[in-house]
Amino acid sequence: MNVRVGVKLSEAIQTFELTRHFNSLVAVNHINLEIGKGELFSLLGPNGAGKTTTIRMLCCLLKPTSGTAQVMGYDIAEEPFKVKELIGVSPQETSISERLNCWENLSLIGEIHRLTSTETKRRSQELLERMGLIERSKDQVRKFSGGMKRRLSLIMALVHDPEVLFLDEPTLGLDPQSRRAIWEYIAQLKGKKTILLTTHYLEEADVLSDRLAIIDEGKIAVLGTPEELKKNLSDKQTMVIKVGNLTAEVMSGLRGRYAEVEQRNDELILSASELDFKEITEYLYSQGITIRSAALKQPTLDDVFIQITGKELRE
Amino acid sequence: MRFWAFGKRNLKEIYRDPLALGFLLGMPIAFIVIFSFAFGGEHASPLNISVVNEDNRSATSEAFVQCLENMENLEVNRISEKSQAEEELSTGKLSTYLVIPEGFAQQAKQEGQPVKLELVFDEADPMTAQRVEPVIRVAAAKFLQISSPLDIKLLGQGVEVKDNYINYMVPGMIVFGLMILVPTGVRIIVTDKEKGFLSRLLTTPARPWDFILGYALALVPVVAVSTMIYLGVGMGMGLSMVGNLGLAFLVFFIIGLCCIGIAMILGALFSSEAQGEPACWFFLLPMAMISGAWWPTEQMPSVLQRIAAAFPFFHAMDASRQVITGGASFTTILPDLYWLIGWTVVLFAIGIILFRRQMAS
Ligand SMILES: Nc1ncnc2c1ncn2[C@@H]1O[C@H](COP(=O)(O)OP(=O)(O)O)[C@@H](O)[C@H]1O
Ligand SMILES: [Mg+2]
């Protein structure tokens, strides 16, 4: 590959203040990302955070309102067709030609990427077998289940052996079993291809990513490895207590002692740099509160997310 | 060749969708069959026409009246005086009569000169005149091919037009059938947009012309096959080809390309099926009406006629009727062909521009 000016060759994807407006709505707001070659990077965020819009810009489907990005050193606005030759995309909607079978869908992608038909067939065979679609490969796709379509969509992104892979919510709406099968496959690709994956499933980001960014309302809220993000949070402890008869007095008493006190239905959530399990439960007893359960929580990405965005991720 | 691969895919999507294909082919076929049964052939009662010959009983006009008399489903009743015909019309005995005005023979002899005929009808019953009019036109077109009156009889007997109504109706129906390619093409494109398939392909190195050629290419065999089917059904119902079949096919083929071009444009403009298809019909049905798909356009206000003549459909119907019922030659229909080819080129150019713009959103 040619060395292009101003490009660090280790970076597969770089965005520079990438921004997209839809009328007055700012869907993607000055995003700067650097994704290394062979890295699996996740964009994690709730619906409407701007994940798909970011991917669409990187795939040259959508023009940025301002800012730009490079994929393997090619600018998305200036050399879109160079970019398109290097990427494979599995869009959020499993867009497949419904009245074609698997082979026909894959050979279309192969021909568009100017693969020879033997090459396309060989790769299709391999991928269809690996993803467990080979038995149904001659059926029209419209008869497939959602999970099968997702798998074929992934194969269509891979059949031409792209250097960079964009996977927009690759397991959206799947049952846990199908989801795990796709995770396993994506995990096998790690290190071989640069992958940008979007998801609103925390577990997915946690299990698969080398690094991840939490995106909310078009902005990157935090970025790091899953471990880093969790560790940053662990200088703070959280305790969740299920209680029976909480009073306003007790709440204000607690607020005086601990940094964060929150009540959700019958759950009391306390956070502070240090929490003493015994001290808290004894205080509640002394106030005549019934405790049904109480636990100190290990920080999860969920907590990271709530802490950073003030929202829960689950739909 | 990317567009070829994409075209193959589109063709598969079309012929593997039996419902859409049935609608595409079924509607015009049903129309041809129903209209033939209703208004044409042995099934329908013969038309009565009274003729007043004011052209001093010239040999030419006399031959023309005989030509009318030779028509199978036309009963000709000669009336010698125009005043008598006028009276019978006003008393309701007649609903329409044809006047061969003075100078008919003169006009018929000079090539390129417009030949005037008058069809007088009772305004309370315009339908009869509407049925008679195409029959007269067919007869006149056939008759005026030959300038010398001696040859007329030979032609009149040699070419046997079984059913003039069907000869008039079928070309209009075929053009209408090809117009249905517009919503068909729009549906394919817009569905690809809605389902995100087009977006997926737009992330590949395919270019704008790959898309437009791929969509257009898939519809070309549909044009050819459906035209053949419509012609076959028409012939089954009694269509008799006077002119050159290949020439008629050429006209249908070009209007088919035109319709594909329109589908590309509307497909680029609309992004949901719920908008796209109704929009097509909103444009196509009035177009079919004013262009003469179902009835002659001569009685329409001249404004409408001029609007119709600006669009390609009128020219396709006009040219194909001239070929099928009047035996017109390539040079005769050349002005119509210019219109058709011009429109096709313009429509495809606009289509490509719109597709390019879409790709760079
Ligand atoms: N084509 C569009 N027109 C208008 N608004 C859009 C369009 N696409 C996305 N949006 C808006 O941009 C925001 C981000 O959307 P999206 O990138 O799809 O989020 P995500 O993929 O994270 O769920 C949302 O508020 C969405 O409604
Ligand atoms: Mg999305």
Side-chain angles (χ1 to χ4, degrees):
Chain A
M1 186 177 294
N2 296 330
V3 178
R4 285 174 289 271
V5 189
V7 178
K8 279 188 280 172
L9 266 179
S10 60
E11 303 298 348
I13 302 169
Q14 270 187 297
T15 71
F16 308 93
E17 303 288 333
L18 192 65
T19 303
R20 173 73 198 207
H21 296 204
F22 291 110
N23 301 320
S24 63
L25 178 91
V26 187
V28 173
N29 196 349
H30 296 277
I31 283 186
N32 291 298
L33 288 176
E34 290 187 354
I35 301 171
K37 277 193 187 152
E39 191 175 17
L40 197 161
F41 190 96
S42 298
L43 278 176
L44 175 68
N47 279 330
K51 305 182 294 292
T52 299
T53 307
T54 306
I55 291 229
R56 286 172 65 87
M57 286 191 284
L58 292 174
C59 301
C60 318
L61 278 177
L62 206 60
K63 282 226 168 92
T65 309
S66 67
T68 188
Q70 290 182 346
V71 176
M72 301 305 278
Y74 294 108
D75 189 281
I76 55 166
E78 276 156 29
E79 296 179 287
F81 287 104
K82 286 265 176 17
V83 173
K84 287 173 181 189
E85 274 172 21
L86 299 170
I87 62 174
V89 185
S90 173
Q92 184 172 329
E93 324 85 53
T94 43
S95 19
I96 308 173
S97 197
E98 298 274 320
R99 286 177 197 275
L100 263 51
N101 65 30
C102 295
W103 295 100
E104 291 166 333
N105 267 296
L106 292 168
S107 88
L108 172 63
I109 302 291
E111 279 185 75
I112 288 177
H113 281 278
R114 308 229 155 108
L115 264 60
T116 64
S117 75
T118 36
E119 176 74 2
T120 308
K121 281 208 185 93
R122 189 183 62 73
R123 285 196 53 87
S124 302
Q125 174 91 26
E126 185 188 313
L127 289 161
L128 287 167
E129 272 170 12
R130 172 164 290 172
M131 301 291 276
L133 282 178
I134 199 79
E135 277 97 49
R136 299 287 306 275
S137 61
K138 286 185 177 155
D139 288 1
Q140 285 184 22
V141 170
R142 68 198 165 96
K143 297 171 187 156
F144 281 15
S145 70
M148 293 164 77
K149 284 185 187 174
R150 284 261 166 224
R151 278 180 276 163
L152 179 58
S153 179
L154 196 59
I155 299 176
M156 283 170 77
L158 282 160
V159 72
H160 54 289
D161 203 12
E163 292 183 45
V164 179
L165 206 53
F166 293 101
L167 308 177
D168 197 357
E169 312 245 11
T171 64
L172 183 69
L174 293 189
D175 57 279
Q177 201 187 338
S178 317
R179 180 170 301 159
R180 236 161 267 280
I182 290 191
W183 287 355
E184 266 168 39
Y185 186 73
I186 295 174
Q188 286 175 3
L189 294 171
K190 274 178 76 162
K192 296 178 198 145
K193 306 212 175 292
T194 307
I195 303 175
L196 175 58
L197 175 145
T198 78
T199 182
H200 67 274
Y201 298 116
L202 288 156
E203 200 190 347
E204 189 161 298
D206 200 354
V207 172
L208 292 174
S209 322
D210 294 317
R211 285 190 306 148
L212 67 92
I214 290 178
I215 178 170
D216 188 36
E217 291 177 2
K219 283 193 206 132
I220 301 287
V222 64
L223 191 153
T225 66
E227 288 67 36
E228 277 170 357
L229 296 187
K230 282 185 264 186
K231 202 162 73 205
N232 281 348
L233 198 81
S234 65
D235 55 344
K236 213 170 76 173
Q237 288 186 304
T238 301
M239 187 166 165
V240 181
I241 312 155
K242 273 199 179 265
V243 289
N245 44 351
L246 205 58
T247 61
E249 276 160 72
V250 176
M251 283 299 286
S252 65
L254 288 169
R255 286 212 170 93
R257 287 158 193 253
Y258 303 104
E260 287 172 41
V261 182
E262 211 188 314
Q263 188 190 351
R264 274 192 225 145
N265 302 323
D266 61 344
E267 259 183 7
L268 190 60
I269 298 150
L270 307 178
S271 309
S273 52
E274 224 159 311
L275 287 177
D276 188 326
F277 188 88
K278 207 167 156 230
E279 188 188 298
I280 294 168
T281 47
E282 274 173 5
Y283 172 76
L284 289 173
Y285 270 129
S286 73
Q287 299 296 315
I289 304 287
T290 333
I291 300 176
R292 298 213 184 90
S293 70
L296 272 174
K297 258 177 74 179
Q298 289 304 314
T300 63
L301 269 183
D302 227 336
D303 302 315
V304 179
F305 193 85
I306 292 167
Q307 194 202 357
I308 286 165
T309 67
K311 293 180 202 161
E312 276 210 81
L313 198 50
R314 314 222 179 278
E315 292 146 292
Chain B
M1 282 192 292
R2 289 169 176 143
F3 70 86
W4 191 258
F6 187 46
K8 275 191 301 189
R9 173 264 173 185
N10 294 327
L11 188 59
K12 284 177 191 159
E13 284 280 341
I14 295 170
Y15 74 65
R16 288 178 186 173
D17 187 356
L19 212 67
L21 207 59
F23 179 72
L24 177 70
L25 293 176
M27 192 149 89
I29 290 175
F31 275 26
I32 291 174
V33 172
I34 292 168
F35 275 66
S36 303
F37 268 112
F39 303 120
E42 310 99 56
H43 322 284
S45 49
L47 285 170
N48 287 305
I49 179 77
S50 301
V51 179
V52 181
N53 187 354
E54 292 208 306
D55 195 31
N56 295 328
R57 314 234 159 220
S58 69
T60 310
S61 58
E62 184 55 34
F64 179 57
V65 177
Q66 271 172 25
C67 173
L68 289 176
E69 281 171 339
N70 286 342
M71 297 227 143
E72 219 171 63
N73 58 340
L74 207 59
E75 297 267 305
V76 176
N77 164 35
R78 292 174 192 248
I79 298 177
S80 48
E81 291 302 321
K82 198 173 176 182
S83 56
Q84 189 195 340
E86 272 166 9
E87 201 196 304
E88 288 187 6
L89 189 82
S90 64
T91 56
K93 266 182 83 180
L94 278 181
S95 66
T96 176
Y97 63 88
L98 179 75
V99 180
I100 302 172
E102 225 182 298
F104 175 81
Q106 209 64 33
Q107 293 164 351
K109 268 179 205 141
Q110 281 169 315
E111 231 172 291
Q113 175 102 31
V115 178
K116 292 197 188 95
L117 287 171
E118 287 168 10
L119 191 67
V120 185
F121 67 98
D122 181 0
E123 282 186 333
D125 176 22
M127 287 313 285
T128 307
Q130 279 199 15
R131 282 183 63 201
V132 170
E133 203 264 12
V135 178
I136 305 276
R137 261 170 25 108
V138 168
K142 229 172 66 182
F143 180 79
L144 294 168
Q145 281 285 300
I146 280 77
S147 45
S148 147
L150 257 181
D151 291 333
I152 294 161
K153 270 182 194 159
L154 286 175
L155 184 77
Q157 287 157 358
V159 183
E160 193 188 331
V161 178
K162 279 199 229 107
D163 193 323
N164 302 291
Y165 177 75
I166 289 179
N167 263 25
Y168 176 82
M169 180 265 299
V170 170
M173 289 298 170
I174 295 180
V175 173
F176 176 68
L178 294 171
M179 286 166 97
I180 303 180
L181 284 175
V182 175
T184 305
V186 168
R187 201 190 52 246
I188 297 168
I189 298 172
V190 169
T191 307
D192 280 352
K193 278 192 192 173
E194 262 184 325
K195 298 258 169 78
F197 189 72
L198 195 58
S199 283
R200 163 166 243 146
L201 292 187
L202 286 172
T203 66
T204 68
R207 312 286 159 135
W209 54 85
D210 290 320
F211 291 99
I212 194 155
L213 281 178
Y215 281 123
L217 215 62
L219 290 170
V220 170
V222 181
V223 170
V225 172
S226 52
T227 302
M228 285 191 272
I229 293 176
Y230 300 146
L231 279 171
V233 172
M235 284 172 185
M237 297 309 295
L239 176 87
S240 50
M241 189 60 95
V242 177
N244 184 298
L245 179 64
L247 193 55
F249 194 85
L250 178 73
V251 173
F252 293 132
F253 191 75
I254 300 175
I255 191 68
L257 292 182
C258 250
C259 292
I260 294 172
I262 296 170
M264 297 303 118
I265 292 174
L266 295 178
L269 290 178
F270 289 100
S271 48
S272 94
E273 236 188 299
Q275 303 169 337
E277 280 206 63
C280 291
W281 290 112
F282 191 75
F283 165 70
L284 290 178
L285 286 178
M287 241 336 128
M289 288 177 196
I290 66 167
S291 303
W294 296 301
W295 50 73
T297 57
E298 281 77 6
Q299 292 152 19
M300 294 188 319
S302 62
V303 188
L304 272 187
Q305 290 189 39
R306 252 174 282 148
I307 294 175
F311 286 93
F313 311 105
F314 167 79
H315 296 279
M317 294 184 201
D318 185 50
S320 56
R321 279 189 183 127
Q322 285 192 48
V323 172
I324 290 179
T325 66
S329 65
F330 181 76
T331 38
T332 317
I333 61 163
L334 205 54
D336 283 327
L337 286 179
Y338 285 144
W339 273 94
L340 290 174
I341 293 167
W343 265 106
T344 307
V345 171
V346 169
L347 289 167
F348 269 82
I350 297 175
I352 291 186
I353 291 168
L354 289 178
F355 257 83
R356 285 185 77 112
R357 238 204 355 227
Q358 280 251 310
M359 286 180 73
S361 61

